[in-house]
């Protein structure tokens, strides 16, 4: 059996940098936030690094624990431009 290689998820529900920023703004460690949300510290680290996508339920719990609107943490979508891989303002 060949070894399984680890790949990042194709789509993330969260913006990893936003989760990290909001957590630090609240003065919480990854462990403290993970305890509040009810997930492991390892999973919290993987969500912040973009290696794992947060489930919609966990993302809502993270937003509640950080006392911020969920839209702050959600992955940004740019309509038709996201389909082509172009960012905002790119054609």
């Amino acid at each position: 059996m060949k070894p399984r290689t680890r790949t990042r998820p194709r789509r993330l529900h969260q913006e990893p940098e936003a989760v990290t920023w909001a957590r630090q703004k609240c003065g919480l460690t990854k462990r403290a936030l993970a305890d509040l949300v009810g997930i492991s510290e390892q999973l919290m680290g993987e969500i912040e690094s973009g290696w794992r996508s947060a489930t919609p339920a966990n993302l809502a719990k993270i937003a509640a624990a950080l006392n911020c609107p969920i839209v702050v943490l959600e992955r940004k979508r740019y309509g038709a431009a996201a389909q082509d891989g172009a960012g905002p303002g790119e054609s």
Side-chain angles (χ1 to χ4, degrees):
M1 181 163 38
K2 68 179 183 181
R4 183 175 165 203
T5 58
R6 188 170 179 184
T7 59
R8 291 180 184 254
R10 289 185 189 163
R11 291 187 184 195
L12 295 173
H13 291 116
Q14 78 281 1
E15 193 69 50
E17 297 83 13
V19 176
T20 303
W21 177 84
R23 175 183 59 78
Q24 291 173 341
K25 194 81 170 158
C26 287
L28 294 172
T29 63
K30 285 180 195 172
R31 176 176 287 167
L33 179 56
D35 288 344
L36 289 172
V37 175
I39 61 175
S40 70
E41 183 180 1
Q42 179 180 355
L43 177 56
M44 190 72 242
E46 290 174 348
I47 289 170
E48 285 191 7
S49 68
W51 277 104
R52 295 270 302 265
S53 185
T55 63
N58 280 343
L59 194 57
K61 290 177 188 177
I62 292 169
L66 296 175
N67 195 28
C68 73
I70 195 166
V71 296
V72 172
L73 306 178
E74 287 179 323
R75 187 65 145 175
K76 308 302 181 259
R77 292 176 184 83
Y78 298 105
Q83 306 286 328
D84 318 287
E90 296 177 13
S91 301

